[in-house]
Amino acid sequence: MDGNGGMSGNGEMDEMKRYIEEAEKALLHTYNRYQIVLDRGDGVHLYDLNGKEYLDFAAGIAVFALGYNNKAYNDALKAQIDKLIHTSNYYYNVPAVEAAGKMKKVSGMDRVFFTNSGAEAVEGAIKAARKYAYLKDGCADHEIIAMEHSFHGRTFGALSVTGNPKYREAFEPMIGNVRFARMNDFGSVEALVNDKTCAILLETVQGEGGIYPAEKEFMEQMRALCTEKDILLILDEIQCGMGRTGYMYAWQKYGVKPDIMTTAKALGCGIPVGAFLMTEKVAAHSLSSGDHGTTYGGNPLAAAAVSKVLDLFEENRITDHVREVAPYLERKLEELAGKYDFIEGRRGLGLMQGLVFHKPVGEVIVRALENGLILINAGTNIIRFVPPLIITREDVDTMAERLERSLV
Ligand SMILES: *Cc1c(COP(=O)(O)O)cnc(C)c1O
């Protein structure tokens, strides 16, 4: 269990290297990948082609909440595969009806549109907001306020509201009429609001941008402003949602309900699926027949995954478990921060944590990998902790031990 298993066989090492070389000839190089080939998973552990074990504190970027090789989840998918995988949205299917019903229940939202990814959920949310405003005044020049340091995805709509100029620059022009305010600075939002503002969009806890939770007062002020001016509050819960903060959706912690929300990542626990949800008021006055669509969205296989994931969240009391184990992770991270002066501190909510360094963390992450620990960054100086939600205190201890060995 020291993370060195399987490193001896030279033939095996070559096999991994060979796949990496092939990958670099066949796949478009849009990622600087870590130099391992992952082969299988079990619980909170992943194994590479050499059989080396890794403790996974990244969960495929906040996706595999229930852990790998979960039998109930796998069985549900296998049964659905044998029954029906796809039909298109011209017909009804049982898993989609059941999944949507369960999503309404856990979110308190009224209507669901299934997508295949997070970015597509954001696209749909933007279209719904623009249509809502269009139906009010017949104009097509509405504005959206998004946040600096935000991340909403790589498609054009989602990229246009992503507050990181580095991601946008080469691909201009973006969709127009997007303004950027500062997270937790209500004055900076107010200053941008005008008669054309149709929506304010933010992540309840910023992920990619560096693990910045919204403050309660900021959320309350935003809600009040949006209600007063009939502007739609869109919360992107793609990363911070699905139990990660100890609440099914992070906004539930604040008691601030959005008009539209997006969800993805852990929603299907590995099956590519996302959704945007809205209140009845927005649904009745925005997208209608012919306004939006998707070939795959909410197909029986994806919906069966969502349905089973939501059942397993309830059966295993995942949010209770997160609330119990997260303070222990916080304490461990704070201990590390207190011990090393190149670590500035910790921030985050629940099992969505960032350890902020005074220096780039790339080398630490590579060394952690060598020590059998999978971590990801969020920006140059921040290690991001988004483990499967089923981790135990012992897993936290193992993580802290392997991380500490990887420091300096
Ligand atoms: C990952 C992410 C997205 C994009 O989701 P994809 O499935 O990669 O398209 C959007 N918003 C947030 C907050 C995310 O973390």
Side-chain angles (χ1 to χ4, degrees), residues 159-210:
L159 194 56
S160 301
V161 291
T162 287
N164 182 342
K166 190 184 78 188
Y167 290 160
R168 297 195 308 261
E169 192 178 277
F171 308 102
E172 297 282 350
M174 296 285 114
I175 69 162
N177 294 1
V178 177
R179 316 264 173 260
F180 290 97
R182 281 181 302 277
M183 184 88 163
N184 292 326
D185 177 352
F186 183 64
S188 77
V189 178
E190 258 186 322
L192 296 177
V193 170
N194 61 43
D195 290 347
K196 294 294 177 191
T197 310
C198 69
I200 301 175
L201 163 66
L202 71 151
E203 297 152 88
T204 319
V205 183
Q206 286 188 334
E208 269 333 288

Side-chain angles (χ1 to χ4, degrees), residues 119-157:
E120 283 170 82
V122 173
E123 298 288 330
I126 292 171
K127 279 180 74 176
R130 281 191 170 181
K131 181 81 191 288
Y132 181 86
Y134 172 82
L135 287 177
K136 278 197 295 186
D137 66 8
C139 294
D141 56 353
H142 297 103
E143 298 182 2
I144 293 172
I145 299 173
M147 299 298 138
E148 290 175 5
H149 305 296
S150 61
F151 182 84
H152 299 290
R154 303 295 198 143
T155 54
F156 270 103

Side-chain angles (χ1 to χ4, degrees), residues 33-84:
R33 291 179 165 88
Y34 296 106
Q35 297 299 296
I36 55 171
V37 181
L38 290 172
D39 188 43
R40 65 186 182 87
D42 194 39
V44 296
H45 298 100
L46 286 166
Y47 299 84
D48 70 18
L49 272 183
N50 294 336
K52 175 175 166 170
E53 172 258 348
Y54 302 85
L55 175 62
D56 181 16
F57 262 61
I61 320 183
V63 168
F64 237 111
L66 295 167
Y68 303 97
N69 202 21
N70 180 300
K71 189 171 181 331
Y73 171 83
N74 288 1
D75 286 348
L77 290 186
K78 286 173 192 168
Q80 190 59 47
I81 285 171
D82 287 338
K83 212 171 170 190
L84 183 64

